Amino acid sequence: MSVSARFRKFLSNIALTDSQKTAGAQRREATVRALNQHYYGTSSGTANSMYVGSWGKFTRIRPPRDVDVLFFLPPQVYDRFRMRVGNIQSQLLQEVRAVLKNRFLQTQIKGDGPAVKVPFTAYDLELIPAFSTIGEQCLVCITEGGGYFKVADYVAESRSIQSSNDSSNGDTRNLIRMAKCWQGHCAVPIKSFWLEIIAVDFLATWPYKGKGEVFYDWMVRDFLNYMETKANSMIYAPGTYEPMYIGNSWISKARSAQQKAAAACNLESKDPIAAGDEWQKIFGSDIPRQP
């Protein structure tokens, strides 16, 4: 099996099925419809909402993780809550939870915001209440520290990945999907959002970007090596430029995976099955072991 064939099959194995995509869309529609009926008096299952996270950036993998959906509340709701005292962000999330609880009895609120979790069979939906601001940014609720509204720019996040993906002939989304598979299989303690930003930064200067799956073994190896250089550094959210310290709790697993990837690259032309054994230590059985 060539490198191209191995990684093409791997990406096919972790891609969402049509039924999983349909199930995610149905979760969104059911949740958004309940909110639209309450806040806007309409029955639309998509209006005033958008996919964010991996569903909005098309970096989702299977098995599916949570479906992340942003819902824009009317500005009158913001005005109403600004008149209150105390942790108004927590109060707002409680109101949204109460609306959804009438439809979904097990609805929960995440510990510090900004999402309300709506449980479904197999995987859940995380609903992020938001308010539109000037331009494409929005305000979301953070409940920690007494509560505050945080500026977020989900459009800029998606655009950053889209731009990188276009300039790399699809490498960006493929690399992010593979990185998430490694994250899940090896229980790597790093946020998916950070992996996305690091992948975009890496591919901006990687000399083989856009040259096809034949270089994907090197891409994985070199990305993991690049990750090691980012330990204890700051990265910045697209759009808002929010600084995020990524620490080093994940560094040992990145270093271990990089060593296995380097070994697999060396074995690809000599012993493809042995190479497959090394790749499976990183990604699990979704990547083929042998021809």
Side-chain angles (χ1 to χ4, degrees):
M1 177 180 290
S2 69
V3 169
S4 295
R6 188 194 300 278
F7 279 87
R8 196 175 299 120
K9 179 62 175 175
F10 174 31
L11 288 164
S12 175
N13 286 343
I14 62 175
L16 259 62
T17 64
D18 288 343
S19 62
Q20 288 169 336
K21 294 175 185 177
T22 298
Q26 291 171 340
R27 286 161 166 74
R28 173 194 181 182
E29 290 172 6
T31 305
V32 169
R33 183 173 294 109
L35 292 173
N36 271 325
Q37 288 172 339
H38 181 84
Y39 287 106
Y40 292 96
T42 72
S43 59
S44 173
T46 56
N48 306 303
S49 72
M50 60 184 284
Y51 285 124
V52 293
S54 63
W55 282 70
K57 300 169 191 172
F58 300 98
T59 58
R60 55 206 176 183
I61 63 171
R62 73 178 191 236
R65 303 182 181 184
D66 293 344
V67 182
D68 297 306
V69 174
L70 193 72
F71 183 80
F72 293 100
L73 293 164
Q76 299 93 319
V77 175
Y78 180 83
D79 295 337
R80 173 161 55 86
F81 274 87
R82 290 292 289 178
M83 300 297 292
R84 296 190 179 189
V85 296
N87 192 324
I88 62 175
Q89 290 74 22
S90 177
Q91 295 172 39
L92 192 153
L93 290 177
Q94 291 286 355
E95 177 177 291
V96 172
R97 175 179 178 270
V99 172
L100 292 174
K101 199 170 181 62
N102 289 329
R103 174 65 178 81
F104 310 101
L105 297 181
Q106 301 302 316
T107 301
Q108 305 167 0
I109 294 178
K110 292 192 72 176
D112 59 357
V116 176
K117 184 183 287 288
V118 183
F120 286 90
T121 303
Y123 58 101
D124 303 331
L125 181 141
E126 292 197 351
L127 189 285
I128 304 172
F131 297 101
S132 295
T133 61
I134 297 173
E136 296 172 328
Q137 296 181 338
C138 63
L139 297 178
V140 298
C141 296
I142 304 297
T143 58
E144 63 183 359
Y148 62 95
F149 286 109
K150 174 182 173 180
V151 177
D153 197 333
Y154 296 102
V155 174
E157 292 174 15
S158 296
R159 187 179 293 125
S160 173
I161 290 180
Q162 182 67 59
S163 176
S164 176
N165 198 65
D166 290 344
S167 67
S168 65
N169 194 29
D171 288 350
T172 303
R173 288 195 174 108
N174 285 340
L175 176 57
I176 291 169
R177 293 181 186 115
M178 291 188 286
K180 288 182 177 180
C181 184
W182 162 62
Q183 174 198 41
H185 179 69
C186 294
V188 184
I190 190 170
K191 294 181 180 180
S192 297
F193 186 35
W194 296 351
L195 286 174
E196 293 170 351
I197 293 172
I198 295 170
V200 169
D201 289 347
F202 163 72
L203 285 169
T205 58
W206 192 57
Y208 303 102
K209 74 173 182 180
K211 297 185 182 296
E213 293 95 340
V214 70
F215 288 96
Y216 274 17
D217 57 339
W218 289 7
M219 182 170 73
V220 170
R221 177 198 64 192
D222 295 350
F223 171 70
L224 290 166
N225 186 63
Y226 181 78
M227 277 196 70
E228 291 187 53
T229 71
K230 305 299 287 185
N232 297 310
S233 67
M234 304 291 289
I235 58 176
Y236 299 87
T240 63
Y241 305 103
E242 176 191 357
M244 296 171 288
Y245 177 69
I246 65 174
N248 66 0
S249 62
W250 45 269
I251 188 67
S252 63
K253 295 205 172 184
R255 185 173 293 124
S256 175
Q258 196 280 334
Q259 292 168 352
K260 293 177 176 64
C265 288
N266 291 332
L267 288 166
E268 280 289 1
S269 61
K270 309 171 201 174
D271 189 344
I273 293 178
D277 288 335
E278 295 300 316
W279 290 124
Q280 288 197 342
K281 293 174 185 176
I282 302 171
F283 298 117
S285 59
D286 283 318
I287 191 165
R289 175 177 178 264
Q290 59 186 1

